[in-house]
Amino acid sequence: MPHGREIFRGDAAELGRLHESRWQWLEEAVGPAVALPTEYPDGYHVPRHRHSRSQLLHALVGVVLVTTKHGRWMVPPDHAMWIPAGIEHSVEMLGDVSMRSVYVMPNAIAGLPEGLRVVGITELMHSLIVESEKLPQGGELEGRAALVMGLLLHEIPNLPERPLGLPFPSDPKLAALCRRFVAAPSPHATIDEWADAAGMSRRTFTRAFQRQTGLSLSTWRQQACLFAALPRLADGEPITRVALDLGYDSVPAFTTMFKRMLGASPRGYMRGARDAGESPRRGGGPLAA
């Protein structure tokens, strides 16, 4: 497979062949890491697949949703998704997406993350990802190229984790409640309402939800609201409209939730003004994932 920017467009059969070609090429590539750029159109869906390499999925433009059996993860501006080797996943594009992925051998270095996670992209990591895509791919690297890729690998364990996962419970009744909430999120849903709908006591529901998702209902609900808000904010919708549409009584209430979850106000977050050192980069149109 030639190295360079690929544009994934065409009918389903053609796109399927392109993906199969890329995945086969990745399986045959050597070296600890491979960096590949790809351009995807709005609404494109990469079907379920898995790699023998872990993937650091980052986009310069566009919003990406990653789905696995463990839940869904949103990859918003100046972030990336870490997908461990062997995890089956699909990817959905919200807006035109300029994706930059680094595929990493599981034993490339010590300390690589073991689980799925969304991480913040620092200025240094952004520069390394952009530089790595210019390097020869698929073979052993030497000299400067090896140093660039080596530093990129060593920065992966240092990337700050962000709470942007949305795991779904395994219980069908609880999962159905979660799906309905994602379709129509509201900050006013209560534990008692969900417990009644699931036919459980409050205590049983609370324990079951926490055990199956790893989150309290309150935290899960706030993250689901972020899932609904971020693409709209990325598209330039006014904060007031988004907050009121999601059922918040006021913009300050929405802003308080947003800041608690992501560490910045919606306006500051969309500018990329990150306290943890993430880059304030912005592309045109929908924001990066």
Side-chain angles (χ1 to χ4, degrees):
M1 183 183 113
H3 169 54
R5 179 173 289 103
E6 287 191 293
I7 300 177
F8 278 67
R9 300 182 188 276
D11 59 30
E14 181 183 359
L15 292 171
R17 288 192 295 270
L18 283 171
H19 280 295
E20 288 296 334
S21 173
R22 163 166 285 199
W23 297 332
Q24 182 62 37
W25 183 86
L26 279 171
E27 293 301 312
E28 297 172 355
V30 299
V34 175
L36 296 176
T38 314
E39 306 295 322
Y40 290 105
D42 181 20
Y44 186 81
H45 182 264
V46 180
R48 290 186 180 183
H49 63 287
R50 67 183 70 194
H51 315 290
S52 62
R53 293 172 179 260
S54 299
Q55 180 180 5
L56 184 70
L57 184 158
H58 172 56
L60 303 180
V61 176
V63 175
V64 177
L65 288 177
V66 178
T67 301
T68 78
K69 68 177 183 180
H70 306 288
R72 305 177 76 203
W73 282 259
M74 175 171 280
V75 191
D78 298 324
H79 290 69
M81 179 80 194
W82 176 256
I83 307 170
I87 296 291
E88 189 176 58
H89 60 284
S90 62
V91 186
E92 180 181 355
M93 315 300 161
L94 303 180
D96 291 339
V97 172
S98 295
M99 186 178 294
R100 303 296 182 267
S101 285
V102 181
Y103 298 90
V104 180
M105 293 294 288
N107 59 351
I109 62 166
L112 291 172
E114 296 182 358
L116 290 152
R117 63 176 61 179
V118 175
V119 295
I121 292 294
T122 61
E123 286 277 14
L124 174 58
M125 178 56 84
H126 171 75
S127 298
L128 290 168
I129 290 174
V130 171
E131 193 64 28
S132 68
E133 72 175 85
K134 304 174 186 176
L135 305 177
Q137 305 296 329
E140 295 290 350
L141 299 178
E142 299 180 349
R144 176 182 178 276
L147 292 172
V148 169
M149 194 62 78
L151 180 55
L152 186 154
L153 289 172
H154 280 84
E155 281 300 298
I156 292 175
N158 294 328
L159 297 176
E161 185 173 3
R162 296 298 179 213
L164 290 171
L166 194 65
F168 274 57
S170 56
D171 182 278
K173 290 183 179 180
L174 299 184
L177 289 170
C178 290
R179 284 193 294 271
R180 287 201 293 269
F181 186 88
V182 168
S186 166
H188 303 302
T190 67
I191 294 176
D192 289 334
E193 291 170 348
W194 282 50
D196 289 342
M200 299 178 179
S201 69
R202 179 188 175 96
R203 183 177 183 182
T204 299
F205 171 84
T206 300
R207 288 182 172 180
F209 196 89
Q210 178 79 41
R211 182 177 65 253
Q212 295 178 33
T213 66
L215 301 172
S216 67
L217 176 60
S218 175
T219 300
W220 188 95
R221 182 190 66 199
Q222 289 173 341
Q223 292 180 196
C225 285
L226 284 179
F227 264 60
L230 281 171
R232 297 179 61 180
L233 293 172
D235 282 340
E237 287 195 42
I239 296 172
T240 299
R241 181 191 303 166
V242 174
L244 296 179
D245 283 353
L246 289 177
Y248 281 84
D249 297 326
S250 65
V251 171
F254 173 74
T255 299
T256 297
M257 179 279 296
F258 197 102
K259 188 177 295 186
R260 184 186 306 118
M261 298 300 295
L262 295 179
S265 69
R267 196 178 308 278
Y269 190 85
M270 289 299 128
R271 287 197 309 264
R274 308 294 302 181
D275 294 335
E278 278 103 309
S279 161
R281 299 171 308 279
R282 279 290 306 273
L287 290 184

